[in-house]
Amino acid sequence: MSGGSRREFATGIDISRALRFRFNNRSYVGHPGDTLASALLANGVQLLARSFKYHRPRGILAAGAEEPNAIVQLGTGEAAEPNLKATEIELFDGLVARSVNCWPSPSFDLRSAYQLAAPLMGAGFYYKTFMWPDWHLFEGPIRRAAGLGIAPQDPDPDRYIHKYAACDVLVVGGGPAGLASAWEAAEAGLDVILAEIDFRLGGSSLWRGERNEAERLEAALRAHANVRVLTRTNVFGYYDHNALVAVEKLDGEGARQRLWKFRAKRVVLATGAIERPLVFANNDRPGVMLASAAQSYLRRWGILHGRQIVVFTNNNSAYEAATSFVEAGADVTIIDVRPRAKIPDIAAVRVLPGHVVKAVVGRRAANGVTIGALDGGQTFTLQCDLVLMSGGWSPTVHLFSQSGGSLRFDEATQSFIPNRAVQAVECVGAAAGELSGLDIEPLWEVPGPGPKFVDFANDVTAKDIGLAREHSFISVEHLKRYTTLGMGIDQGKTSNVNGLAIMGELTARAPGDVGTTKFRPPYTPVTFGALAGPLVGDLYRPVRYLPAHDWHAAHGAVFEEYGGWARPTAYPFPGETWEQAAQREAATARKGCVLLDASPLGKIEVVGKDAGTFLDRIYVGNASSLKVGSARYGLMLNENGIIIDDGVFVRLREDRYLVHTTSSGADRIAAMFDEWLQCEWTGLDVAILPTTTQWATLTVSGPDASEVIRETGTDIDLDDFPHMTFREGSVAQLSARVLRASFTGEASYEISVEASNATQLVGALERAGRPLLLMPMGIEALMILRTEKGFLHVGVDTDGTTLPGDVGMAGPIARKASDFIGRRSLLRQEALREDRLQLVGLQSHKGVLPVGAQVLRDRSVPGPSDGFVTSSYHSPTLDGPVALGLVRAGRSRIGERVKLYDMGEHHSAEIVDTVFFDKAGERLRA
Amino acid sequence: MLLLTCPHCGPRDETEFSCGGESHIARPSLEATDDAWADYVFFRTNPMGVTFERWRHAYGCGCWFNVARDVVNHRILATYAMTDPKPATSETAISNGLQQSAELAR
Ligand SMILES: [Zn+2]
């Protein structure tokens, strides 16, 4: 067996140009138009892989996406792509690839000793043998031994892009049937996209020799204004309403692959058919190949890689391959299982009817076959250097099935073909089951001993299917999972029908009664890079920046993400940790004054004559009774009564409110308002204006806060500006809205200006505050301050079960007559229980309690929980720990000592009131 | 991936929308019984067939609208405004939808 020279009649390669490439550390030469598989075959490389489980030597079986054996790693380093089929890699100059699953090489593989253990390693072997004490202990080493390619460790350096396209007709498959359909649609004036997985159009015409018509159509389509032709494009998913997804391999367009999202009015599936192997002993040896694949390598790629050829078939299609090889000068013998009466009359080919190939002789290459009559009797051996097989054809119905279409088993072609479509899709050509003249006689398994492979990719033999039957895994889905049939990288394209038909024979069911497993996307593997597209790294989840971000950065801020915003955690001095900085900042807020950027605070204007009525239905408390220029704190619930957000709302005018939400609630709450107005209360005259990002909000807080505002310069009368009121005026000569509300427990002024004026305002405040030692404060210090005050942080001190009464805010409800969202749920029995989790303070006398520590009901671990710590800090002002927690019936247990547990550590605390500092709230009104 | 028709913007991919669940559910008053309230908050019809649900063109105009969809085959039988009445669920309505699909298929 040798490579020999490339044949001149090859239609698919340009012999005048050489491409150099390396495979398993050896250098070779191929030509433009080659795949890695064809170039290796042309170089005489026949043994190029080891099988997944038994490490048996393997060669190339197929010529397309169905290849189960020739799995390679393409490229090196971070751009390497694991687990590609050599048959789908277009050769390029400088290509580097290597075999997977063998070491050091496929011809000398140290793990090939696994073959000796093969009799012990049938279906389910791993799961049954490595059970005690836990399969997962064994899984790692076993998966490594049965390895595939290696995923690169470093980030992918390549770019991937996404593109949407709509068309009248999407034709999948550029073979003769697809080309004809595309042409017909284009001529009818329709907008057509033609997608072909190969880098060349033509499909079966590339190896069957009928090139003239295909070339004429290709030229006409490429010139047609209505047609977009995409080659190297794998349409891998078919979803609802004719949405299809494809990945296109790009070459020099700035990105490696493009993910297409098609929406087609009509889809034509011209995806062809895949030839099936026959199942006989050692049918997996290198040198055993699908007949049509061998014909491709001969006619498209000009490789005559056998001189003495045995063709084993149960149908007529292999006679075409046989004839091609005879024409090329090879010696061909056909072993046909069918009786002489069914054999086509072809001169110059020797045919042995009524016989089967019992086994292949040779280990690392086929050098003969054992032949016998189907009904037993004498066997004899025939020498050969290439075995071609054809067990019939399976129409490529994957996409049709994904579209929801049903399949039926067709007796004439012994294959599953499209039955009923549920979307606007039709199959044409071989994909529709047009396989006329096959005259096939089913032969699912050749009787006799020896390893007879059904699934080459996952080393599933006919015996494994028998084992599955013995263990009652006879449903096709059970068969798949028990034996791993069809679960390899090739997804069983050559093996599924053989496997289910053998199971059918074992259980006296026709293949149509066994049925196929569900066809799922992707048709062939797709890289994660293509699916992710450009939305990786910083674009994966873009973070919003404060309008005065640069000012904060210049003042030493350490940024963290809070609800999608990059916000300062703290502003550490040199030598300070951020935790130390937060302590300093919190202490300063109680003694002097601090500056906090509160711009992300949600701002929604609610406008219209029914604005008050609307907000009465939104908030737990009353809104319509609020005076213009005043502010009020409110809780929002969902219909289950659960707290979903809170904040201060302001009445700007009679018909205009400004609603503040939590930073992370801004978008969610605006959407909720809109939903109620559009879907439920359609009669209310209210408009919703989310304005969060139009404003920059800077909060000055602390005993000296009003001094800072005064120094900054304002026309607002600060002597007549009490807590929970609102003023519009100028601050630092900027038009401003100022709200007196406090999340720190100190007198606070929330100053909002146009976002573009943020840096100007913060600079003015900084200058005015310098004599008063104003310093910037981050989120961490704010959290310390609000915990000292027992101020609720929704989502931290509440969870998906917390009702207003649980956090001590049922008061406003009693004073309110009208309905609001969630009110009725507060009357349910569950809501009225006295042993609900309630928010309380937890006073530790020995260190800061960990957040999440569980309150133990009876001191046992593990044991029942009575709640948990929600917020916990060291208070610089009180020089001790402060914590909040949700504790079962907590408010009735004030004064009780409880034990807590977290991550192996025990703690204790006293249940106390939620307010640790300034219980009367005099400071914030100052 | 569904193709939904926003009343304002026309046909768009499902990714531009968010589904708000079953539509035409009347909100009970405060005086509702526990059972009636639980039915409103927790229970949905979940038919195997035509379902009426509301969708929002979240990454578009923000408009809420109703969709009658067959959850078995994802056929959209009707798209109508929030304030429109629930369309007839009769055979006629459904077969009209089927007819539309058949026309698409041609
Ligand atoms: Zn819209």
Side-chain angles (χ1 to χ4, degrees):
Chain A
M1 169 90 207
S2 73
S5 64
R6 304 295 282 264
R7 319 291 288 190
E8 271 131 39
F9 55 73
T11 56
I13 51 168
D14 175 6
I15 292 195
S16 65
R17 284 174 53 210
L19 300 176
R20 285 167 205 294
F21 69 102
R22 287 179 72 77
F23 181 70
N24 287 341
N25 299 318
R26 288 190 59 183
S27 294
Y28 300 98
V29 175
H31 302 289
D34 263 325
T35 62
L36 176 58
S38 70
L40 286 170
L41 269 184
N43 280 280
V45 180
Q46 198 174 28
L47 164 56
L48 45 69
R50 286 279 171 167
S51 72
F52 182 64
K53 193 163 148 189
Y54 302 132
H55 287 256
R56 286 170 67 97
R58 290 282 168 82
I60 291 163
L61 179 77
E66 68 272 26
E67 171 62 33
N69 289 333
I71 310 294
V72 303
Q73 177 114 357
L74 178 65
T76 55
E78 67 267 37
E81 257 189 283
N83 302 332
L84 294 177
K85 295 148 196 138
T87 51
E88 57 181 6
I89 297 170
E90 183 178 356
L91 196 70
F92 57 88
D93 201 48
L95 179 148
V96 177
R98 61 178 183 75
S99 305
V100 302
N101 202 32
C102 56
W103 189 83
S105 78
S107 43
F108 180 70
D109 175 19
L110 287 176
R111 292 197 183 109
S112 60
Y114 285 16
Q115 290 170 74
L116 304 176
L120 303 174
M121 293 168 66
F125 163 77
Y126 294 126
Y127 303 104
K128 284 185 294 200
T129 311
F130 298 98
M131 269 169 31
W132 184 90
D134 180 354
W135 148 253
H136 296 99
L137 293 179
F138 301 102
E139 188 176 357
I142 287 170
R143 293 266 186 254
R144 271 195 292 282
L148 288 169
I150 297 161
Q153 297 292 312
D154 298 314
D156 191 336
D158 288 310
R159 277 185 66 230
Y160 300 84
I161 49 182
H162 285 187
K163 187 163 181 168
Y164 290 83
C167 59
D168 293 322
V169 182
L170 172 66
V171 180
V172 184
L179 292 170
S181 296
W183 177 251
E184 196 183 313
E187 282 297 278
L190 298 171
D191 176 27
V192 178
I193 294 176
L194 172 65
E196 165 58 48
I197 195 170
D198 201 328
F199 50 87
R200 289 197 61 184
L201 293 180
S204 62
S205 76
L206 293 171
W207 49 273
R208 295 185 72 175
E210 300 140 1
R211 290 292 297 145
N212 290 346
E213 174 66 0
E215 276 170 9
R216 189 187 68 74
L217 276 175
E218 175 174 352
L221 285 168
R222 287 192 186 276
H224 204 295
N226 291 1
V227 183
R228 274 177 281 180
V229 176
L230 301 170
T231 52
R232 300 176 180 87
T233 302
N234 169 24
V235 180
F236 65 83
Y238 197 138
Y239 303 90
D240 295 312
H241 295 185
N242 271 358
L244 290 93
V245 184
V247 65
E248 178 187 10
K249 292 177 190 160
L250 300 174
D251 184 16
E253 290 182 51
R256 187 179 199 168
Q257 296 181 351
R258 176 188 288 134
L259 188 83
W260 286 90
K261 300 178 184 183
F262 298 121
R263 183 76 72 171
K265 291 205 177 92
R266 193 161 67 85
V267 173
V268 176
L269 296 176
T271 43
I274 293 170
E275 197 166 25
R276 295 193 294 256
L278 285 160
V279 180
F280 54 100
N282 293 324
N283 59 344
D284 65 323
R285 292 304 190 202
V288 182
M289 190 180 270
L290 294 172
S292 59
Q295 195 178 342
S296 290
Y297 290 117
L298 179 65
R299 303 193 78 146
R300 176 172 173 184
W301 286 293
I303 306 160
L304 179 62
H305 64 297
R307 308 280 162 173
Q308 263 195 304
I309 299 171
V310 167
V311 178
F312 181 21
T313 186
N314 65 347
N315 69 81
N316 283 350
S317 75
Y319 283 73
E320 200 177 300
T323 311
S324 308
F325 277 94
V326 169
E327 282 168 10
D331 176 69
V332 179
T333 306
I334 297 181
I335 314 296
D336 195 325
V337 69
R338 297 172 299 172
R340 180 167 298 281
K342 280 197 163 183
I343 305 296
D345 186 21
I346 295 175
V349 186
R350 199 162 43 248
V351 182
L352 200 54
H355 278 69
V356 292
V357 171
K358 292 285 210 183
V360 173
V361 182
R363 212 178 68 77
R364 284 159 56 161
N367 52 42
V369 288
T370 312
I371 295 166
L374 183 59
D375 45 14
Q378 285 289 316
T379 61
F380 61 98
T381 301
L382 190 65
Q383 286 210 338
C384 66
D385 55 8
L386 182 61
V387 180
L388 309 186
M389 56 183 171
S390 177
W393 291 79
S394 299
T396 309
V397 294
H398 300 64
L399 291 175
F400 181 77
S401 176
Q402 285 180 28
S403 78
S406 62
L407 306 176
R408 68 176 177 87
F409 190 75
D410 176 48
E411 286 294 330
T413 55
Q414 292 290 306
S415 64
F416 288 92
I417 63 172
N419 188 22
R420 243 191 92 237
V422 298
Q423 299 202 39
V425 55
E426 64 177 315
C427 295
V428 296
E434 285 167 19
L435 298 161
S436 59
L438 267 193
D439 205 8
I440 185 171
E441 188 168 302
L443 173 67
W444 301 114
E445 178 187 355
V446 173
K452 294 178 274 189
F453 283 85
V454 178
D455 183 334
F456 295 63
N458 269 3
D459 274 352
V460 179
T461 64
K463 194 175 157 195
D464 291 322
I465 296 171
L467 206 60
R469 146 126 191 71
E470 267 176 50
H471 294 169
S472 299
F473 293 109
I474 61 171
S475 136
V476 69
E477 297 287 357
H478 286 155
L479 169 67
K480 169 179 172 175
R481 281 149 188 87
Y482 190 64
T483 62
T484 72
L485 174 74
M487 290 169 73
I489 290 168
D490 65 329
Q491 288 286 287
K493 290 183 177 59
T494 55
S495 64
N496 282 339
V497 174
N498 282 345
L500 70 90
I502 291 171
M503 177 56 86
E505 287 190 325
L506 292 172
T507 53
R509 290 179 295 170
D513 295 331
V514 179
T516 65
T517 51
K518 177 98 185 117
F519 290 90
R520 280 186 292 241
Y523 172 66
T524 66
V526 177
T527 56
F528 283 114
L531 297 177
L535 303 181
V536 294
D538 289 343
L539 293 178
Y540 175 63
R541 193 164 167 265
V543 170
R544 290 193 270 197
Y545 291 93
L546 299 170
H549 180 87
D550 292 346
W551 184 91
H552 298 295
H555 287 70
V558 175
F559 292 95
E560 273 286 332
E561 191 202 319
Y562 299 88
W565 289 84
R567 303 183 69 178
T569 299
Y571 302 77
F573 289 161
E576 224 179 18
T577 65
W578 65 264
E579 291 94 337
Q580 290 165 340
Q583 289 287 315
R584 168 178 50 77
E585 293 165 13
T588 306
R590 296 271 182 248
K591 288 182 298 210
C593 53
V594 290
L595 178 63
L596 172 82
D597 194 327
S599 301
L601 191 71
K603 289 173 271 296
I604 303 167
E605 291 193 22
V606 178
V607 188
K609 81 174 163 42
D610 298 323
T613 308
F614 172 68
L615 290 178
D616 278 345
R617 297 178 189 182
I618 292 289
Y619 279 114
V620 166
N622 272 308
S624 55
S625 59
L626 188 66
K627 287 205 297 277
V628 171
S630 284
R632 192 174 278 170
Y633 172 82
L635 275 184
M636 290 180 208
L637 315 181
N638 62 21
E639 282 285 51
N640 295 312
I642 309 299
I643 298 171
I644 55 165
D645 211 81
D646 71 341
V648 170
F649 58 96
V650 180
R651 191 162 202 170
L652 300 174
R653 286 201 287 278
E654 202 56 38
D655 63 351
R656 184 180 282 254
Y657 288 78
L658 170 60
V659 167
H660 291 102
T661 72
T662 59
S663 308
S664 59
D667 298 337
R668 183 166 45 86
I669 299 301
M672 182 190 91
F673 284 4
D674 226 12
E675 181 170 8
W676 282 102
L677 286 168
Q678 286 192 39
C679 301
E680 188 69 30
W681 301 319
T682 51
L684 291 187
D685 177 10
V686 178
I688 302 301
L689 297 171
T691 61
T692 304
T693 50
Q694 295 174 27
W695 300 93
T697 303
L698 287 139
T699 301
V700 181
S701 185
D704 297 339
S706 61
E707 256 332 283
V708 174
I709 309 298
R710 209 182 301 279
E711 286 299 314
T712 309
T714 180
D715 60 2
I716 298 168
D717 180 1
L718 296 177
D719 298 325
D720 177 28
F721 191 2
H723 181 59
M724 295 305 262
T725 59
F726 173 88
R727 301 285 185 267
E728 290 184 66
S730 83
V731 175
Q733 279 136 34
L734 296 167
S735 167
R737 290 175 161 187
V738 186
L739 171 65
R740 282 214 53 191
S742 175
F743 200 42
T744 61
E746 300 297 327
S748 297
Y749 296 80
E750 295 179 2
I751 308 154
S752 296
V753 296
E754 258 181 52
S756 53
N757 290 332
T759 309
Q760 202 180 328
L761 176 64
V762 75
L765 291 168
E766 181 189 19
R767 280 189 299 279
R770 202 167 282 144
L772 296 155
L773 304 177
L774 176 78
M775 62 171 63
M777 178 178 84
I779 298 295
E780 185 71 5
L782 180 67
M783 289 298 130
I784 296 170
L785 297 171
R786 67 98 194 158
T787 304
E788 290 172 346
K789 286 292 297 173
F791 289 153
L792 187 70
H793 191 193
V794 172
V796 172
D797 300 308
T798 68
D799 64 16
T801 68
T802 310
L803 308 176
D806 300 338
V807 294
M809 296 196 188
I813 301 172
R815 293 192 294 273
K816 184 169 175 175
S818 62
D819 193 7
F820 55 86
I821 295 171
R823 180 164 198 171
R824 177 63 184 81
S825 286
L826 304 179
L827 303 172
R828 289 179 302 138
Q829 237 177 3
E830 179 62 27
L832 302 172
R833 285 167 60 134
E834 285 177 0
D835 62 346
R836 295 185 56 84
L837 293 176
Q838 295 173 334
L839 190 70
V840 291
L842 290 166
Q843 183 65 67
S844 160
H845 298 291
K846 220 176 94 185
V848 176
L849 297 171
V851 170
Q854 297 289 319
V855 178
L856 300 176
R857 185 173 300 168
D858 56 14
R859 295 182 173 227
S860 61
V861 177
S865 164
D866 252 358
F868 47 91
V869 177
T870 56
S871 298
S872 182
Y873 296 92
H874 179 268
S875 160
T877 305
L878 302 170
D879 194 24
V882 291
L884 299 172
L886 287 165
V887 177
R888 196 162 303 284
R891 280 202 301 276
S892 65
R893 295 167 66 181
I894 302 284
E896 186 182 324
R897 295 199 62 84
V898 289
K899 294 284 176 194
L900 297 98
Y901 176 83
D902 178 67
M903 308 284 281
E905 303 273 331
H906 288 265
H907 307 271
S908 66
E910 184 184 335
I911 300 177
V912 295
D913 183 72
T914 50
V915 186
F916 289 84
F917 180 74
D918 185 28
K919 284 187 196 293
E922 280 156 2
R923 301 174 66 94
L924 53 77
R925 285 187 201 94
Chain B
M1 173 139 62
L2 304 181
L3 183 67
L4 296 168
T5 305
C6 170
H8 281 174
C9 311
R12 300 296 179 98
D13 269 351
E14 183 182 340
T15 47
E16 293 187 16
F17 298 86
S18 59
C19 183
E22 189 174 342
S23 204
H24 304 290
I25 298 175
R27 185 171 189 267
S29 74
L30 257 184
E31 287 70 42
T33 63
D34 274 0
D35 281 353
W37 185 255
D39 199 47
Y40 161 67
V41 174
F42 299 119
F43 291 93
R44 297 294 178 263
T45 54
N46 194 26
M48 186 171 143
V50 181
T51 179
F52 300 87
E53 55 201 7
R54 65 190 193 207
W55 289 76
R56 177 177 182 241
H57 194 191
Y59 297 97
C61 65
C63 178
W64 280 95
F65 59 98
N66 282 316
V67 172
R69 180 170 67 100
D70 188 327
V71 296
V72 176
N73 53 26
H74 296 305
R75 281 186 186 122
I76 308 293
L77 304 173
T79 302
Y80 54 102
M82 282 313 304
T83 46
D84 287 348
K86 189 172 178 171
T89 55
S90 67
E91 290 301 314
T92 345
I94 293 167
S95 68
N96 282 344
L98 290 177
Q99 211 177 329
Q100 267 179 9
S101 308
E103 273 160 25
L104 257 180
R106 232 170 283 135

